[in-house]
Amino acid sequence: MDLSTLQIPVQKTTDSQLANVDFSNLPFGKVNTDHMFICTFKDGSWQDPKVVPYQAISLDPSAKVFHYGQTIFEGMKAYKDSKGGVWLFRPEENQKRLNISAKRLAIPEVPKDIFMEGLKTLVETDHEWIPRTEGSSLYIRPFIFASGRGFHASPADEYTFIIACSPSGSYFAGKVGVRIEETYSRAANGGVGYAKAGGNYAGQFYPTQLAVADGYQQVIWTDDNAHEYIEEAGAMNIFVRIGDTLLTSPTSDRILDGVTRKSILKLAEAENIPTEVRKISVQELLEAQKNGALKEMFGSGTAAVISPISSFGYKGQRYELPQLEESYAAHFKKRITDIQYNRAEDPFDWRYPVK
Ligand SMILES: *Cc1c(COP(=O)(O)O)cnc(C)c1O
């Protein structure tokens, strides 16, 4: 199908909740917009894509998503500029990644035009929900789950694809202390760590609760083999600055290929900031901390953009990171958000107009 020919029908709500929302005090991801996009896979194809009023859905208790966790998601945002223009940021990367996740979980891939036209139609329909205050945006959550029924442990024959939106303030507030994980693993070689599969996150909750009980906010995931190398920061990619070099782990089976991560790498390259994409050992981190070369650590992801790390814990000891006047974290956060909110030039064509 040609991208421009697919028309997504819109059924408008008669009961808008827009006037009931306090936009000056938005929690992350708790308020939903008036509409959602929905599309179903059955009889071997994705059918009936449409935008409808946001509503509860009814599922059979034996829907396979409940039993076998066959579900994947994406996370992206829409931004409103000072003139009312509405933008997405590299949405085709999310479209591709959703299908990479789909393939790994034996979920039928979604045609590009259904994803892109569904997304644009929904964001346009709910554009009044995009907050304008600094740091706020419309969080967009595309997800697919096995709605087909049966207790047999095999892929379902029906799936539901929904895109829901949530006007949101910033994701993390305050300082983030992280604990380097020595026992649990987020992902393994040959596993599903590179997919945004629901179970990956369920598996993170308990180790994160243990870290929180110890006074940290997040876990730094290490390799599943010997917990020697740092891999991700919670549900974010991880960056480390040693001296003036910016380091991040290479993507793999175990590490999610983040859009924010690759945008930071591209900007760093264009600005001649020395960058190394390679394995980072916990030992290297400890040594750099000891000799004063460890200047920064931060996580990167759509929700928070960049989340600076103020301290890390390892083997029962907490190590503080310096407070920098000119951090890479603040620099790249500004560079990326200036592009996202149409406040700066967009040298790599990352902005995608909605209206
Ligand atoms: C979504 C996600 C990221 C960040 O990806 P972005 O595309 O930058 O939002 C990093 N790690 C994990 C585990 C994730 O789920």
Side-chain angles (χ1 to χ4, degrees):
M1 255 184 284
D2 183 52
L3 265 185
S4 54
T5 57
L6 180 67
Q7 283 285 326
I8 308 285
V10 178
Q11 187 193 326
K12 288 249 177 134
T13 184
T14 52
D15 183 27
S16 174
Q17 297 300 310
L18 188 58
N20 302 332
V21 175
D22 177 6
F23 277 87
S24 64
N25 186 22
L26 284 171
F28 181 84
K30 289 212 169 158
V31 175
N32 289 103
T33 60
D34 279 332
H35 299 89
M36 66 188 202
F37 169 82
I38 187 163
C39 181
T40 318
F41 181 92
K42 58 180 168 205
D43 306 325
S45 69
W46 286 103
Q47 340 190 331
D48 197 20
K50 59 191 176 197
V51 169
V52 297
Y54 187 89
Q55 59 195 273
I57 47 175
S58 142
L59 284 172
D60 191 290
S62 61
K64 294 202 183 196
V65 61
F66 298 132
H67 308 274
Y68 307 118
Q70 209 187 0
T71 179
I72 55 172
F73 67 95
E74 267 304 322
M76 51 206 305
K77 284 175 170 177
Y79 313 85
K80 197 168 257 186
D81 69 27
S82 58
K83 296 194 186 94
V86 175
W87 306 90
L88 297 165
F89 184 70
R90 309 186 75 178
E92 281 147 331
E93 296 295 327
N94 300 91
Q95 183 271 323
K96 278 189 245 165
R97 192 171 64 191
L98 183 73
N99 280 344
I100 290 170
S101 300
K103 190 168 181 187
R104 182 62 183 83
L105 276 287
I107 291 171
E109 293 176 34
V110 174
K112 183 174 180 183
D113 59 347
I114 291 184
F115 182 97
M116 293 302 297
E117 295 306 309
L119 173 68
K120 277 191 282 182
T121 307
L122 175 64
V123 171
E124 223 180 307
T125 307
D126 278 338
H127 78 91
E128 282 176 300
W129 285 80
I130 307 174
R132 282 174 162 217
T133 43
E134 177 63 39
S136 301
S137 57
L138 187 69
Y139 186 78
I140 304 171
R141 171 54 61 87
F143 60 107
I144 307 177
F145 55 91
S147 39
R149 59 185 308 283
F151 290 145
H152 191 265
S154 57
D157 55 4
E158 284 188 25
Y159 296 85
T160 304
F161 172 32
I162 291 177
I163 308 177
C165 302
S166 174
S168 294
S170 48
Y171 194 76
F172 281 117
K175 294 187 166 187
V176 182
V178 296
R179 186 166 76 175
I180 298 178
E181 186 58 55
E182 295 165 59
T183 307
Y184 297 95
S185 299
R186 193 190 88 85
N189 285 327
V192 298
Y194 68 92
K196 279 183 118 68
N200 284 341
Y201 306 85
Q204 292 187 196
F205 294 161
Y206 175 64
T208 306
Q209 283 175 338
L210 297 179
V212 168
D214 263 2
Y216 297 93
Q217 280 74 48
Q218 274 298 340
V219 170
I220 297 284
W221 298 105
T222 47
D223 66 285
D224 60 307
N225 186 37
H227 302 290
E228 252 178 293
Y229 296 96
I230 61 167
E231 301 206 318
E232 296 219 50
M236 292 187 287
N237 293 115
I238 187 155
F239 283 86
V240 172
R241 173 179 175 185
I242 296 181
D244 281 333
T245 304
L246 186 63
L247 300 162
T248 191
S249 316
T251 53
S252 68
D253 274 5
R254 304 184 305 270
I255 298 183
L256 194 114
D257 186 6
V259 179
T260 318
R261 173 186 175 280
K262 59 182 150 199
S263 303
I264 292 169
L265 289 176
K266 191 87 187 163
L267 291 170
E269 186 197 345
E271 294 173 26
N272 294 317
I273 290 176
T275 303
E276 290 176 21
V277 177
R278 61 161 172 85
K279 287 161 86 173
I280 305 158
S281 71
V282 179
Q283 277 318 312
E284 179 179 5
L285 210 60
L286 290 171
E287 270 158 39
Q289 202 278 334
K290 211 162 138 194
N291 67 29
L294 179 63
K295 299 222 181 117
E296 292 178 62
M297 293 170 68
F298 56 86
S300 76
T302 295
V305 190
I306 282 175
S307 185
I309 291 168
S310 57
S311 65
F312 69 92
Y314 185 63
K315 293 208 190 296
Q317 192 156 342
R318 192 189 273 266
Y319 301 89
E320 298 293 331
L321 291 170
Q323 293 257 14
L324 297 187
E325 293 274 324
E326 289 184 19
S327 67
Y328 282 171
H331 172 72
F332 287 114
K333 181 159 188 170
K334 179 165 183 345
R335 284 282 279 148
I336 290 180
T337 53
D338 279 352
I339 294 173
Q340 289 170 333
Y341 288 88
N342 193 19
R343 292 187 297 242
E345 251 186 87
D346 179 22
F348 305 109
D349 264 334
W350 288 339
R351 264 195 309 264
Y352 187 102
V354 175
K355 74 181 281 285

